[in-house]
């Protein structure tokens, strides 16, 4: 080996030209960083303030969900589940909105479903022998997201779960709180024509706001009423949630946060005020929250509990369960609690008992 050919790099002091270039790169990076900060903290709030499309996108985070019906149909291979579609009318147009729906049977029917390929889902739903749990999923989710949670519900209930408009394989249509709630009210009314069973509403996260408002509207109608409402990882209202949401927090300190984020959302109808609508709910309510919830602080659940218990003047039965941080349930996993089935079953009992009392009076 010819060692003389070995190249040896020597650190030489930078030339004047190199130093100058380095200085320009430094200045460039500094300016870039400054522009980035300006864009994130000034540009973005300004765009957000003026773009209802962007506001809608951040309220209803429906991107990245399976959009093919086949995704939802393939679950039918698992016994006791059927996938179907229900049409509702758009709030502001003649458009027909098709919503993707799942019906999961209570486990008591499992032996029959397994042996009978023609099993009649519709007639067991109609019989009303088991109550129905009507499930409202959270914002970044579709009807298959809470599959593991449904397993717990199926110990007691039929589960009816669905996708909001523009979610998964439901019809693409303008997303607004009013329009989505209007769809939900119609879907509930359609369910009433298919069963006489007792119905409990269950909402998770943003779904808890939609479930509460849907129920509040139904309470004002002369139709058969749901017998209970469960709020899991619920927030009081969107304007309060935004200050503590992991993404909201990045901007919440800005003096113009209210003017560029909160107020435009309010103005455009993205309000989700559960603390208000819960007052119209005159069926028993159960509130579930986890102390380590990093998306919706449990203190919101606690506040809703105080409101539901103290400010509702009739049928103010409210159950409240707060799960310790050490359990690690965070935003999505309260169903893993050993006591979860017990809480569901007890609440079901409380609802039936309260309905009985109401009917007697
Ligand atoms: C519902 O319950 C009634 C009475 O217990 C029973 O006769 C009927 O077969 C049940 N129907 C279904 C579909 O389970
Ligand atoms: C509900 O009960 C009423 C009265 O018993 C009956 O007429 C109706 O057909 C039932 N509806 C369903 C969907 O089972
Ligand atoms: C709760 O409701 C009952 C009637 O259902 C009523 O008598 C009571 O005053 C209510 N409590 C509050 C705090 O309003
Ligand atoms: C059942 O109803 C009765 C009569 O209103 C009431 O006193 C009792 O507290 C209720 N039980 C439960 C567990 O809600």
């Amino acid at each position: 080996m010819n060692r003389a050919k070995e190249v040896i790099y020597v650190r030489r002091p930078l030339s004047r030209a190199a130093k100058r270039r380095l200085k320009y790169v430094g200045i460039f990076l500094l300016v870039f960083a400054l522009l980035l900060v300006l864009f994130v903290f000034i540009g973005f709030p300004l765009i957000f303030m003026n773009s209802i499309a962007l506001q809608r996108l951040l309220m209803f985070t429906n991107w990245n969900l399976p959009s093919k019906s086949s995704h939802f149909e393939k679950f039918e291979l698992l016994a006791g589940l059927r996938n179907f579609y229900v049409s509702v009318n758009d709030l502001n147009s003649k458009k027909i909105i098709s919503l993707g729906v799942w019906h999961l049977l209570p486990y008591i029917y499992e032996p029959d479903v397994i042996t009978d390929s023609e099993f009649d889902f519709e007639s067991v739903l109609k019989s009303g022998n088991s109550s129905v749990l009507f499930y409202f999923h959270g914002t970044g989710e579709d009807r298959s997201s809470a599959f593991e949670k449904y397993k717990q519900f199926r110990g007691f209930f039929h589960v009816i779960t669905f996708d909001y408009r523009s979610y998964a394989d439901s019809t693409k249509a303008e997303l607004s709180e009013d329009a989505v709630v209007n769809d939900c009210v119609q879907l509930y009314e359609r369910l009433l024509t298919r069963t006489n069973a007792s119905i409990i509403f269950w909402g998770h996260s943003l779904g808890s706001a939609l479930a509460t408002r849907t129920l509040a509207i139904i309470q004002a109608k002369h139709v058969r009423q749901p017998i209970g409402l469960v709020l899991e990882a619920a927030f009081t209202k969107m304007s309060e949630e935004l200050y503590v949401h992991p993404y909201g927090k990045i901007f919440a300190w800005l003096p113009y946060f209210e003017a560029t984020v909160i107020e435009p959302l309010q103005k455009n109808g993205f309000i989700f005020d559960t603390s208000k609508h819960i007052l119209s709910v005159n069926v028993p309510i159960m509130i579930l929250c986890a102390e380590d919830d990093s998306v919706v602080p449990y203190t919101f659940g606690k506040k809703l509990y105080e409101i539901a218990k103290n400010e509702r003047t009739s049928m103010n039965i409210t159950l409240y369960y707060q799960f310790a941080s050490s359990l690690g349930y965070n935003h999505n996993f309260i169903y893993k609690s050993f006591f979860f089935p017990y809480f569901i079953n007890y609440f079901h009992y409380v609802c039936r008992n309260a309905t009985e009392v109401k009917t007697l009076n």
Side-chain angles (χ1 to χ4, degrees), residues 126-127 191-196 224:
K126 194 176 163 80
S127 79
L191 180 60
L192 290 183
T193 66
R194 292 164 82 152
T195 182
N196 274 333
R224 187 149 44 88

Side-chain angles (χ1 to χ4, degrees), residues 346 349-350 353 357:
Y346 179 64
Y349 165 71
V350 167
N353 183 47
V357 173

Side-chain angles (χ1 to χ4, degrees), residues 14 18 34 42 87 119 142 164 200 210 223 274 325 331 358:
L14 289 172
L34 196 68
I42 297 177
S87 297
F119 187 86
D142 61 69
Y164 311 123
I200 290 180
L210 296 167
V223 295
T274 303
S325 292
H331 191 54
K358 242 202 255 185

